């Protein structure tokens, strides 16, 4: 292997390890705000909308998808589209999760305030709890993998993976609380390799719930 190839691989491996450590650190950041988010989302009688801009928008779309897969009906809501009328879909009984690392995206903050005026609670996922978003939200969960996980502290790479992991934990915990089974997962996922699964995975343990309400099974 040439010196150039070895340096390339070392750089790539360092990036992956740094991002992986940032994601692992999220486990220690899960606190009472996560429990409160589980309870708040569990009480939703409508739909969970998830919004974000840029790379946070890609994470928001992924989070909405996985919440739905795991039995919590959710929809991705692009922030700027919402300000051009799509926010009309967000009504009382719904909930909005807003993802913004810095918490100062004007379109997301405007959207968050406007849905609150319609009686819709907002959960903020941000690394900056004192930001505009962090202070206006009904519930703020801090997800901060540290600036070193993003190149230059600017390009949202590791930080968005950390936020995605937080959302994965939310979806999986709610799935267990609701007793949402593999039969329901596979029924709503008939395409691809998942749709060809013939033997159900082992059942997940059901968690006791104080605040989250079970939805009727599909």
């Amino acid at each position: 292997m040439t010196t150039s190839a070895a340096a390339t691989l070392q750089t790539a491996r360092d990036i992956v390890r740094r991002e992986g450590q940032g994601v692992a650190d999220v486990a220690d950041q899960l606190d009472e705000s996560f429990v409160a988010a589980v309870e708040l989302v569990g009480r939703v009688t409508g739909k969970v909308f998830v919004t974000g801009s840029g790379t946070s928008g890609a994470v928001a779309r992924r989070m909405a998808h996985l919440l739905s897969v795991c039995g919590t009906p959710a929809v991705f809501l692009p922030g700027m589209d919402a300000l051009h009328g799509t926010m009309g879909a967000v009504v009382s009984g719904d909930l909005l999760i807003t993802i913004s690392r810095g918490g100062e995206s004007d379109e997301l903050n405007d959207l968050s305030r406007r849905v609150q005026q319609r009686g819709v609670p907002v959960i903020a996922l941000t690394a900056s709890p004192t930001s505009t978003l962090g202070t206006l939200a009904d519930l703020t969960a801090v997800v901060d993998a540290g600036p070193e996980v993003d190149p230059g502290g600017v390009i949202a790479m590791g930080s968005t993976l950390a936020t995605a992991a937080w959302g994965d934990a939310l979806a999986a915990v709610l799935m267990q609380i609701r007793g949402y089974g593999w039969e329901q997962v596979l029924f709503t996922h008939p395409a691809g390799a998942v749709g060809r699964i013939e033997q159900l995975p082992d059942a997940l343990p059901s968690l006791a719930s104080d605040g989250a309400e079970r939805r009727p099974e599909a």
Side-chain angles (χ1 to χ4, degrees), residues 21-52:
Q21 184 59 55
V23 170
D25 288 346
V26 174
D28 293 327
Q29 295 177 20
L30 297 176
D31 55 16
E32 292 80 4
S33 66
F34 180 82
V35 176
V38 169
E39 294 175 349
L40 191 56
V41 174
R43 290 195 297 268
V44 171
T45 57
K47 284 187 169 51
V48 176
F49 288 87
V50 191
T51 190

Side-chain angles (χ1 to χ4, degrees), residues 35-83:
V35 176
V38 169
E39 294 175 349
L40 191 56
V41 174
R43 290 195 297 268
V44 171
T45 57
K47 284 187 169 51
V48 176
F49 288 87
V50 191
T51 190
S53 293
T55 313
S56 291
V59 173
R61 183 186 295 275
R62 178 184 184 277
M63 191 178 297
H65 171 75
L66 289 173
L67 282 167
S68 295
V69 169
C70 294
T72 296
V75 179
F76 169 60
L77 181 65
M80 193 55 72
D81 285 353
L83 296 185

